Amino acid sequence: NAGVMQNPRHLVRRRGQEARLRCSPMKGHSHVYWYRQLPEEGLKFMVYLQKENIIDESGMPKERFSAEFPKEGPSILRIQQVVRGDSAAYFCASSHDWDSNYGYTFGSGTRLTVV
Amino acid sequence: EDQVTQSPEALRLQEGESSSLNCSYTVSGLRGLFWYRQDPGKGPEFLFTLYSAGEEKEKERLKATLTKKESFLHITAPKPEDSATYLCAVQSGSARQLTFGSGTQLTVLP
């Protein structure tokens, strides 16, 4: 069991470019969550998805950010026209169902640097 | 709005010196309190879930306890490999997401 796979591990983008972060959940997990960790801050919830559905995007910035979890393939977090303030570690977590005794399994994250 | 406060922000212990980390929370209807460990450059690693006041869980040198207002992570006779940031998070009401504290950075010196 490969766990939650995120790629790329590190991503450098110039201001104004697009960033695409990918997350493959653990086998058998159908719930995906994205979190952002800014330097010296805690993890902040962004969005919760199930296959082909956005369930809760209350933590997602209203502009430039979008997420999807298609029927086939990984979940994608997309950031358009990146700015320096988007530099952070982005973590994906997955679960079998949302009320799990085993917690949420996190990936190793994608570290986005905007230059 | 759910709030989680962890203390201390940083803790340095000598190997074998037991201590406790604190997590105070304010939620409207606790569904679960989670403890995670995070090593530098890695994602959080799940340790425990606690659901109700009075509940305790143990794993090796770690023991987590829960009251109606806070949770403690007790570390007994820590080793250098226990050095990490320990994160506390809550899940409340019908929300799926977790609300995290800022963590306690633990350093265990040999």
Side-chain angles (χ1 to χ4, degrees), chain A residues 98-99, chain B residues 1-3 25-34 50-52 66 68 90-97 99:
Chain A
W98 71 278
D99 197 14
Chain B
E1 183 179 329
D2 299 344
Q3 290 190 334
Y25 64 91
T26 304
V27 299
S28 53
L30 180 71
R31 289 197 71 92
L33 184 140
F34 297 74
L50 301 168
Y51 293 101
S52 58
L66 181 66
K68 289 186 178 180
V90 296
Q91 185 182 53
S92 69
S94 60
R96 271 59 171 174
Q97 69 268 27
T99 300

Side-chain angles (χ1 to χ4, degrees), chain A residues 9 33 35 37 42-43 45 48 56 58 91 98-104 106-108 111, chain B residues 31 34 36 38 41-44 46 49 51 87 91 93-98 100-102:
Chain A
R9 289 295 307 276
Y33 313 81
Y35 288 79
Q37 189 171 41
L43 286 153
F45 167 77
Y48 161 46
D56 182 350
S58 58
F91 290 96
W98 71 278
D99 197 14
S100 171
N101 279 315
Y102 302 100
Y104 299 80
F106 281 82
S108 294
R111 277 139 190 91
Chain B
R31 289 197 71 92
F34 297 74
Y36 283 86
Q38 186 175 23
K42 295 191 177 181
F46 172 73
T49 308
Y51 293 101
L87 303 171
Q91 185 182 53
S94 60
R96 271 59 171 174
Q97 69 268 27
L98 302 181
F100 280 86
S102 297

Side-chain angles (χ1 to χ4, degrees), chain B residues 28-82:
Chain B
S28 53
L30 180 71
R31 289 197 71 92
L33 184 140
F34 297 74
W35 281 99
Y36 283 86
R37 168 192 172 129
Q38 186 175 23
D39 293 295
K42 295 191 177 181
E45 176 188 343
F46 172 73
L47 294 174
F48 305 107
T49 308
L50 301 168
Y51 293 101
S52 58
E55 188 174 1
E56 298 182 351
K57 288 192 177 175
E58 290 187 65
K59 180 180 179 180
E60 296 182 355
R61 294 177 293 281
L62 301 176
K63 178 181 176 180
T65 62
L66 181 66
T67 72
K68 289 186 178 180
K69 294 183 178 180
E70 57 191 350
S71 177
F72 292 94
L73 184 65
H74 307 278
I75 303 176
T76 302
K79 298 181 178 181
E81 53 262 42
D82 294 323

